[in-house]
Amino acid sequence: MIQIERVLQQVLEWGRSLIGFADEHAVEAVRGGQYILQRIHPSLCETSARTGRDPLDETLIVAFCRELALLFWLDDCNDLDLIAPEQLAAVEQALGQGVPCMLPGFEGCAVLRSSLAALAYNRRDYTQLLDDTRRYCAALRSGHAQAGGGGWSYAEYLHNGIDSIAYANVLSCLSLLWGLDIVALRARPAFRQVLRLISVIGRLQNDLHGRDKDQSAGEADNAAILLLQRYPAMPVVEFLDDELAGHARMLQRVMEEECFPAPWGPLIEAMVTIRAQYYQTSIARYRSDIAGGVSL
Amino acid sequence: MIQIERVLQQVLEWGRSLIGFADEHAVEAVRGGQYILQRIHPSLCETSARTGRDPLDETLIVAFCRELALLFWLDDCNDLDLIAPEQLAAVEQALGQGVPCMLPGFEGCAVLRSSLAALAYNRRDYTQLLDDTRRYCAALRSGHAQAGGGGWSYAEYLHNGIDSIAYANVLSCLSLLWGLDIVALRARPAFRQVLRLISVIGRLQNDLHGRDKDQSAGEADNAAILLLQRYPAMPVVEFLDDELAGHARMLQRVMEEECFPAPWGPLIEAMVTIRAQYYQTSIARYRSDIAGGVSL
């Protein structure tokens, strides 16, 4: 069995300890995790001389993919009501504080948090990951609430979308596992600008590509749908395409001006391109015209 | 003669050492400076126990109003070609580095920079002010360049607009003169978020109110004009009004969540309302239907 299949098996197995967890969450997580790790592999080899962390260490890869699967599962818990509201509240509390969940059926949460705490190259990254988790959960909740008629402006939507896209979580988890020093980097305003820009890019890519599916699912938590509801005459797709291109240019400029250590250059590039990769291969999650059935 | 008249005389007198400086720059600066200082007066009295800086100290007030007048003059140097390009380049270089201008006719620059360096409650604020000055000059230049057909997205326009509105400069100068500790506060991500939000608010207020004047002056460096050029069917004013309200809600939330020391609460509030005050009283600078003639 090749490594990626073993990783998938371990994510699927772990997911069985979470009510509502679906094979799709594991499959999408492994696909995304593999894409990122492949793209930054040469650069991670460089840093491994300093950190001693092997880019191909299976324990680290499994932990990373489990965290990604957790993010997918949490998203669907909010959007698809996979679990009861009181269960979701207990899960969010547990994950954000790094404590076991008070309700049964979510033992995977504590398993994952304990393993990440133990694997953390730098303890500060674990604290950062908990903070990112609290922000992600709050943003999913706010997005869900406003889509019911809250009346956000585009600016407020994007501000929340920065957290709900969970890119900060993904990067903190990578940093925790491979010693990428994200907490020190976050002290630099330019790095936090990069985090905001890459997150807005991911949010706009997600919303543009998921527009048809969200629309047919009655999901209003999407920039295109929100703008079209508020301004029916607005050329929304053209506007958001231009916004996406503008954010990409701003990101490129700050990445050229600032000098971030390896593997942050290739890593941020991978985050820009990961969505295109997803939309080509992951048919069920982002398209409405093809029903079900994902495969790795 | 009451104090505010003496202050105006001293700003006018200083302005004579800058080619292209107009009475209007001094009048607008004193009007704005007086508005801010009045609004934060009770709060500045509190901080004066710690800093020993009198809110009514005329030397400090004159320095503040001169800096505001400089910002107005620099804006017009870009928009109205008050001075030659090589003169503007020399002025920007001098102001941003805190050195005398290499070309004659701009002695006021060095006079003001020397006085601010000498008056700085904390030397770090002076360094910050020079940094803000470089950003302001760069943003005026970029805004002017893109308005000639550069094709910015809305996001890029707003990003530049954060610097070109010069609110960071105004706040740094206040901090420098009355010991408001802006450099320490800028280390807090929430404070930098406040700076971004208040700057976007000022930019949107400015562009919405100045739209008619900018349009008739052929000035395309305005969010409303930019959006209308790109998307003729878009309900631009409605969209920007909603954006403005959204940014104001985000600002209010972060101000409620964070606890900033005096006088930052009233000061940020004053920056939100200063434009409305300006648009009521300052007819020449922001309206196209009434020609010339400003009075204090």
Side-chain angles (χ1 to χ4, degrees), chain B residues 198-213:
Chain B
I198 190 64
S199 298
V200 170
I201 287 168
R203 170 51 55 206
L204 291 175
Q205 288 173 331
N206 181 85
D207 289 6
L208 279 163
H209 286 274
R211 187 170 54 105
D212 292 342
K213 178 162 179 161

Side-chain angles (χ1 to χ4, degrees), chain A residues 136-150:
Chain A
Y136 176 59
C137 290
L140 289 178
R141 206 172 263 276
S142 301
H144 206 61
Q146 84 81 25

